[in-house]
Amino acid sequence: MSMSMSVKFAGLFVLASLIAFASLCSAEEVKLAVGSVTSIAQTDDNFVCATLDYWPPTKCDYNQCPWGQAGIFNLDLKNKILSNAIKAFDSLRIRVGGSLQDQFLYKVGNLKKCPHLRKKDGGLFGFSKGCLEMQRWDELNTFFNDTGAMVTFSLNALFGKRQPINNASAWFGHWNPQNARDLMKYTISKGYKIESYELGNELCGVGVSARLEAEDYATDLIALKNLVRELYPDKDSQPKVLGPAGFYDEKWFKKFLQTTGPDVVDGLTHHIYNLEAGVDPNLIHKVQDPYYLSQVAETYKNVSRVVEEYAPSAGAWVGESGGAYNSGGKDVSHTFVNGFWYLDQLGMTSTFNHKVFCRQALIGGNYALLNTTTFIPNPDFYGALLWHRLMGTNVLQTTHNGSPYLRAYSHCSKSNSGVTLMLINMSNSTTFDISVQNDLNIYPGALHWTNTVNEQREEYHLTPECGNIQSDVVLLNGKPLKLTDSQDIPELEPKLTNGDLPIRVAPDSIVFVSIKGFHAPACA
């Protein structure tokens, strides 16, 4: 090869390298507007919630048994990591309930037979009836008190009812509240605090393993409300009453709320498993697909609308959601990439005026916030914790002119003035440089009055270890989040950023951004 040809070849190679480098370093510029004059929705202070379930070690799906000792009867309540994980939230809402709750009796009062849970052909979900002993109830409540948890307890709604011969038919008869009454009286005598009681699990609509007619369930919930009012006469400390704790069926939900009338339901709870089966080989793609994830928005909108129309004093709650049912996906639901689904659901439900979102589960299955055997937090734990600490209750309108693979949500900041953004980049190749504008327009449809926000920011960038979106290790601003030597949750320290620079959101990352100097009238 001649010298001139060598020089030309070298020059072409350098040019190609520079073009490739430039393409890697290039970013899509995005303008993001935060409607700061009025809020569009409001959440509860304890919006983030996690569940504890009844499942025994023999709960198995797809030739795997991922629950281990994580059910409430076997869970090691003295585990330091578990305790510290709950304490990190400084009041984590915990829902105790699940598929088996409608088969459990409480060993209190005059109850004579309290059976031991076992596998049973023909039983609901393949199990027999079970028993909650008061010794375990004491242990659970001591644990909740020590960790500062806010407890929702879901009651057996089938006690006293009769099972139809035809399994396609609804259970019938009246709910017998005696066992629940005895449990409440015992709970009150011990000074245990229950924030809310829920009745039944997935009995609405067509049901899952059993079902109730809307009118019958409404009658039972009225009986529960009257029981709570009787035993907890102080309205300031009276537990809320929640239901129906199942999948949204518009006709059933409307009939239920029409029958209960006003001031009975405090929280309308519905369940979401929009990723479908945990064994689905497309699960990894679903959690990264904004078009697929947006399909559930219609359900959130409809539930919110039904609450506004039929039960305006209540609030819409996602009472249980693990994304993928049957314990989640073993290679997806506990990894970094699941945060695209989970945190997007938190943002979406808050936008549609939901008050609470309960993640299935705190521990247990493949979809838990904590590893089922080691208790070490999974990536979604840290996403939930950052949301809980940073995102306030007032939800703001957020729009941008970028790709649908960029999700953006904004709230008034929780513990200081200003606004906090949550940004999710589901693209594996595009970086977004985001300029934030304060939309001060009062009148919808009018010309926008906006100010560019150039205030110093606190940024929390979450990325997967080694760029592997199926990693169980998450990095915060480039550093792995790992327990301390004393098994405490690590500090979540932001990086301070010059407000004159755009917010850079890397591919496959989740970013929380707090802007204290963001002047939002809705947050004043």
Side-chain angles (χ1 to χ4, degrees):
M1 184 182 291
S2 66
M3 180 67 71
S4 62
M5 290 183 66
S6 298
V7 171
K8 287 181 180 179
F9 180 78
L12 289 172
F13 178 78
V14 171
L15 179 61
S17 299
L18 288 173
I19 292 172
F21 180 75
S23 65
L24 287 172
C25 295
S26 66
E28 181 179 319
E29 294 184 355
V30 176
K31 290 184 179 180
L32 183 150
V34 176
S36 66
V37 176
T38 59
S39 61
I40 60 171
Q42 192 169 48
T43 71
D44 188 84
D45 282 332
N46 294 86
F47 174 70
V48 172
C49 164
T51 68
L52 289 175
D53 212 313
Y54 286 82
W55 290 120
T58 51
K59 158 65 173 171
C60 305
D61 296 289
Y62 318 126
N63 297 316
Q64 54 171 316
C65 306
W67 280 85
Q69 301 297 311
I72 62 170
F73 295 101
N74 301 302
L75 184 61
D76 179 7
L77 301 178
K78 295 182 179 179
N79 184 280
K80 189 174 181 180
I81 300 174
L82 176 64
S83 178
N84 287 339
I86 297 174
K87 288 178 180 178
F89 283 83
D90 190 24
S91 188
L92 174 63
R93 184 186 294 277
I94 293 179
R95 180 221 186 203
V96 181
S99 298
L100 298 182
Q101 73 180 56
D102 293 308
Q103 293 162 257
F104 269 83
L105 306 176
Y106 320 119
K107 190 68 172 71
V108 63
N110 295 322
L111 188 71
K112 295 179 180 179
K113 293 183 179 180
C114 209
H116 180 72
L117 183 73
R118 57 182 176 80
K119 294 279 269 184
K120 180 185 177 182
D121 291 339
L124 298 185
F125 300 98
F127 287 90
S128 69
K129 292 182 179 180
C131 180
L132 173 60
E133 302 275 356
M134 289 304 96
Q135 179 180 347
R136 188 57 174 175
W137 185 237
D138 293 338
E139 293 168 352
L140 286 165
N141 279 279
T142 298
F143 173 74
F144 295 145
N145 182 68
D146 291 344
T147 56
M150 179 181 289
V151 180
T152 293
F153 186 72
S154 293
L155 295 160
N156 179 347
L158 297 181
F159 186 60
K161 290 185 174 291
R162 284 172 285 177
Q163 186 172 4
I165 297 175
N166 178 2
N167 287 331
S169 302
W171 286 52
F172 58 96
H174 294 295
W175 175 60
N176 184 345
Q178 187 59 51
N179 199 215
R181 171 187 289 274
D182 291 338
L183 178 67
M184 287 184 193
K185 290 176 69 175
Y186 179 87
T187 300
I188 294 168
S189 72
K190 289 286 188 174
Y192 302 148
K193 294 181 179 179
I194 304 297
E195 194 269 347
S196 46
Y197 287 103
E198 188 176 45
L199 186 63
N201 187 81
E202 296 175 355
L203 302 171
C204 55
V206 297
V208 176
S209 192
R211 72 180 185 91
L212 298 175
E213 297 292 355
E215 296 92 334
D216 291 342
Y217 180 80
T219 300
D220 297 336
L221 200 75
I222 292 170
L224 173 59
K225 185 69 172 184
N226 290 335
L227 179 60
V228 169
R229 285 170 173 162
E230 175 192 341
L231 298 182
Y232 296 88
D234 183 0
K235 289 187 177 181
D236 293 334
S237 60
Q238 192 175 93
K240 297 181 178 69
V241 170
L242 314 176
F247 297 102
Y248 182 65
D249 178 303
E250 184 160 311
K251 182 179 179 181
W252 194 101
F253 270 57
K254 283 183 177 180
K255 176 61 69 174
F256 158 62
L257 290 174
Q258 288 172 332
T259 306
T260 58
D263 302 323
V264 173
V265 182
D266 298 305
L268 187 75
T269 52
H270 67 109
H271 294 181
I272 293 290
Y273 283 90
N274 57 314
L275 300 177
E276 300 180 331
V279 75
D280 185 353
N282 291 316
L283 183 59
I284 183 68
H285 305 297
K286 287 180 176 179
V287 296
Q288 300 175 80
D289 183 352
Y291 300 97
Y292 182 87
L293 295 178
S294 294
Q295 292 174 15
V296 74
E298 190 72 15
T299 297
Y300 295 141
K301 184 191 76 172
N302 289 340
V303 172
S304 180
R305 176 177 49 80
V306 164
V307 169
E308 185 177 347
E309 184 176 354
Y310 292 94
S313 63
W317 293 32
V318 174
E320 179 185 315
S321 182
Y325 58 76
N326 287 342
S327 302
K330 67 181 182 67
D331 298 319
V332 175
S333 298
H334 55 88
T335 70
F336 177 85
V337 72
N338 196 67
F340 294 165
W341 164 78
Y342 176 47
L343 291 171
D344 187 50
Q345 296 299 294
L346 294 185
M348 197 184 302
T349 51
S350 65
T351 300
F352 286 106
N353 207 32
H354 279 54
K355 308 307 177 186
V356 174
F357 188 102
C358 291
R359 168 67 177 264
Q360 173 84 348
L362 176 62
I363 188 165
N366 295 310
Y367 42 31
L369 296 179
L370 306 178
N371 182 283
T372 297
T373 54
T374 67
F375 293 79
I376 292 173
N378 288 321
D380 280 353
F381 171 86
Y382 292 107
L385 185 56
L386 282 170
W387 177 290
H388 180 76
R389 290 181 176 180
L390 300 175
M391 305 290 273
T393 60
N394 285 337
V395 186
L396 305 175
Q397 183 70 49
T398 312
T399 56
H400 67 76
N401 64 349
S403 164
Y405 284 84
L406 173 65
R407 301 289 236 206
Y409 302 96
S410 64
H411 289 218
C412 297
S413 296
K414 190 163 192 174
S415 58
N416 53 58
S417 60
V419 167
T420 296
L421 306 172
M422 183 184 69
L423 308 167
I424 305 172
N425 186 354
M426 299 181 190
S427 170
N428 60 11
S429 59
T430 303
T431 296
F432 297 106
D433 277 349
I434 300 175
S435 299
V436 180
Q437 296 183 330
N438 185 354
D439 183 356
L440 292 161
N441 179 53
I442 297 177
Y443 305 106
L447 293 175
H448 280 211
W449 172 27
T450 63
N451 287 335
T452 300
V453 179
N454 296 319
E455 301 292 335
Q456 187 182 59
R457 306 185 299 263
E458 293 182 347
E459 297 184 0
Y460 304 78
H461 292 254
L462 299 176
T463 53
E465 187 176 50
C466 300
N468 177 14
I469 60 174
Q470 288 180 269
S471 173
D472 284 339
V473 178
V474 61
L475 311 183
L476 174 60
N477 297 326
K479 297 180 180 179
L481 287 174
K482 296 185 177 180
L483 298 173
T484 67
D485 292 340
S486 58
Q487 297 185 322
D488 287 318
I489 303 301
E491 294 294 326
L492 304 182
E493 297 290 348
K495 70 173 185 177
L496 298 179
T497 306
N498 186 339
D500 292 330
L501 299 173
I503 303 168
R504 173 152 287 199
V505 185
D508 288 333
S509 72
I510 300 164
V511 184
F512 288 87
V513 183
S514 286
I515 310 173
K516 292 182 180 180
F518 193 113
H519 298 295
C523 306

